[in-house]
Amino acid sequence: MAFQTAVRRAFPSALRPAVGARAPVVARQAPAFTAVRRFATPAANADEEAQVEELEAKLKKVYEQVEEVIEKRVTIRKDSNQATKRHQTDLENETKYGITKFAKAYLQIPDNLERAAGSVKDEDIQADAELKKMHANVLRMQKIVNQAMSDLGIKKMETEGATFDPAMHEAMFAMPMPGKEPNTIFHVMEPGYMIHDRCLRAAKVGVVRAA
């Protein structure tokens, strides 16, 4: 103890820390903690598996319900589209063919005008000024009637020389005709008419028969 006192007195700076210097710090080691893992018991695992299975079953049921709703939606959309198309078709048919009965009755007008125009000879027309005027009026009326029929979608069939079609023609008689193909039309008794793409009135015709 005396020796240490003497040393301090003889060398006062040797044992004191330098000015501004920090005293040495002794690092303290933090106490180590050991992680403790908790392990589930078999009963807890069983409960958890049961809950997972229950959730999976519910999820599967939800998926099935969603698929069913999607299928129903697709079916409803298809039915709706088909109904719309049918409605559109019905409207188009009504627009095109709604006047069929009226058009059939209307055909009496061009029939009578055609008979009137063809009932006089050219020489008689040229010889009689009044007859010529009346004939011109008939032709003018024919033009007006034909234009009105065209506006309604009604047109006259081109029948002469055509092949006989039972959907379009009505055979009134048949006979052999030299130089003509069998089953062709060589005479028209009454003209036929179409309304758009349907037969409005079948043409009454004479048909060539094989010899």
Side-chain angles (χ1 to χ4, degrees):
M1 186 69 179
F3 176 76
Q4 292 178 353
T5 304
V7 171
R8 288 194 187 95
R9 289 178 179 176
F11 306 98
S13 60
L15 298 178
R16 291 198 301 270
V19 178
R22 294 182 178 180
V25 178
V26 179
R28 297 180 61 188
Q29 186 175 4
F33 294 93
T34 304
V36 179
R37 298 184 61 186
R38 299 176 62 186
F39 295 93
T41 63
N45 285 335
D47 292 341
E48 185 176 354
E49 290 177 0
Q51 292 177 358
V52 171
E53 290 177 358
E54 183 180 359
L55 290 175
E56 288 178 348
K58 290 182 178 180
L59 186 60
K60 183 179 179 181
K61 187 175 182 180
V62 169
Y63 283 153
E64 291 175 353
Q65 292 175 348
V66 170
E67 290 178 357
E68 184 178 356
V69 169
I70 292 174
E71 290 178 359
K72 287 183 179 180
R73 182 180 179 185
V74 171
T75 302
I76 291 172
R77 181 174 294 178
K78 287 181 179 180
D79 292 343
S80 178
N81 290 338
Q82 290 177 357
T84 301
K85 289 180 181 179
R86 285 196 300 269
H87 180 64
Q88 185 65 29
T89 302
D90 291 342
L91 288 177
E92 292 177 356
N93 289 336
E94 182 64 25
T95 302
K96 286 183 177 181
Y97 310 112
I99 62 167
T100 299
K101 291 183 179 180
F102 166 77
K104 283 183 177 179
Y106 184 85
L107 293 180
Q108 296 178 10
I109 299 174
D111 288 343
N112 291 332
L113 290 174
E114 187 171 357
R115 282 192 287 265
S119 63
V120 292
K121 298 178 180 180
D122 290 340
E123 54 267 26
D124 293 337
I125 295 173
Q126 298 300 327
D128 191 334
E130 187 66 24
L131 183 60
K132 184 176 182 180
K133 183 178 179 181
M134 292 174 62
H135 187 266
N137 289 336
V138 170
L139 295 180
R140 190 178 302 108
M141 183 60 66
Q142 272 188 308
K143 185 176 180 181
I144 294 172
V145 169
N146 290 337
Q147 182 60 49
M149 289 195 301
S150 177
D151 293 342
L152 295 173
I154 302 170
K155 60 182 179 180
K156 192 175 181 179
M157 292 182 187
E158 298 295 334
T159 310
E160 189 79 30
T163 301
F164 178 77
D165 182 354
M168 302 289 181
H169 311 130
E170 182 181 355
M172 305 305 294
F173 62 93
M175 59 183 296
M177 293 289 294
K180 292 186 180 293
E181 291 292 330
N183 206 39
T184 57
I185 297 170
F186 72 93
H187 179 71
V188 180
M189 297 181 62
E190 184 178 75
Y193 286 88
M194 301 286 294
I195 178 168
H196 298 289
D197 55 351
R198 293 183 183 178
C199 178
L200 178 62
R201 187 182 73 185
K204 295 180 179 180
V205 298
V207 183
V208 177
R209 185 178 62 191

